C-alpha cells in the first residue's frame, strides 16, 4: 500500500538548524533472528570440528586406545630451547647472575686472583678526576 506524503513526512524529524532526519526504526525480530542463527551455525561448527578430531585420533591411535604414549623427553629441564619449568621453580637465572656477580667482584685476568678491571668505586673516582682535570687542548699550528 502506497503511503501518502503526509504519512511520510510525519516520521521526519526537523532539528533546530533545519536538518531533517527520519526517526530510527530497529526491527528487533531480524536482529534476534540473525543472532540466534549465527549461534546455531557456530554450534554446528563446534560439533563438526569435535567429530573430526575424534575420528582423526581414532585413525591415528587405533580403536580402543585412549591416549598417546608419554614422550621420553617429558620431565627434562629443557626440551629443544624451551625451558619447561615454571618461573617460580626455576633458579638457573639466579644462580647464573650470582656467579657473574661473584666473577665481577673477584676480577679476571691472565693470572688467577689478579683484577684486570677496577671495581665500581675506582672507576667512578677515575671518571670524576678526569672530568675535573680535562686533557690539554690540542696544539694548533699556523698554516705555512
Amino acid at each position: 500500500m502506497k503511503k501518502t506524503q503526509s504519512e511520510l513526512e510525519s516520521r521526519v524529524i526537523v532539528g533546530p538548524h533545519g536538518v531533517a532526519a527520519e526517526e530510527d526504526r530497529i526491527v528487533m525480530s531480524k536482529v534476534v533472528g540473525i543472532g540466534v542463527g549465527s549461534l546455531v551455525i557456530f554450534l554446528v561448527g563446534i560439533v563438526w570440528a569435535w567429530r573430526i578430531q575424534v575420528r582423526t585420533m581414532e585413525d591415528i591411535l587405533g580403536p580402543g586406545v585412549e591416549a598417546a604414549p608419554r614422550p621420553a623427553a617429558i620431565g627434562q629441564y629443557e626440551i629443544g630451547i624451551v625451558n619447561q619449568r615454571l618461573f617460580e621453580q626455576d633458579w638457573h637465572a639466579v644462580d647464573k647472575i650470582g656467579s657473574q656477580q661473584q666473577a665481577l667482584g673477584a676480577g679476571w685476568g691472565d693470572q688467577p686472583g689478579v683484577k684486570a678491571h677496577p671495581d665500581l668505586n675506582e672507576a667512578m673516582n677515575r671518571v670524576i678526576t678526569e672530568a675535573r682535570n680535562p686533557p690539554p687542548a690540542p696544539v694548533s699550528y699556523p698554516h705555512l
Side-chain angles (χ1 to χ4, degrees):
M1 181 166 147
K2 189 172 183 180
K3 295 185 179 184
T4 64
Q5 185 67 23
S6 62
E7 289 177 336
L8 290 174
E9 290 177 357
S10 67
R11 283 194 254 130
V12 175
I13 300 169
V14 179
H17 299 289
V19 178
E22 291 186 25
E23 69 179 58
D24 295 333
R25 291 179 302 164
I26 298 175
V27 182
M28 287 304 293
S29 61
K30 287 184 180 179
V31 173
V32 171
I34 290 172
V36 170
S38 63
L39 288 175
V40 168
I41 290 171
F42 279 119
L43 182 64
V44 168
I46 289 169
V47 171
W48 187 16
W50 175 73
R51 283 302 307 156
I52 290 172
Q53 181 198 8
V54 168
R55 276 196 220 123
T56 304
M57 291 304 292
E58 286 176 355
D59 291 344
I60 292 171
L61 299 175
V65 180
E66 291 186 17
R70 183 180 165 134
I74 295 295
Q76 293 180 0
Y77 168 71
E78 187 173 341
I79 300 174
I81 60 170
V82 179
N83 293 341
Q84 299 296 319
R85 291 193 185 148
L86 297 174
F87 288 125
E88 295 85 19
Q89 297 173 348
D90 190 9
W91 294 98
H92 283 79
V94 174
D95 295 340
K96 182 179 179 181
I97 291 172
S99 64
Q100 289 174 348
Q101 293 292 336
Q102 184 180 9
L104 284 174
W108 55 271
D110 295 337
Q111 301 168 353
V114 175
K115 284 189 177 183
H117 60 86
D119 64 353
L120 183 62
N121 290 331
E122 293 172 11
M124 290 306 295
N125 289 335
R126 189 173 86 199
V127 168
I128 291 170
T129 56
E130 287 177 1
R132 288 183 183 159
N133 303 325
V139 177
S140 62
Y141 296 100
H143 295 294
L144 296 174

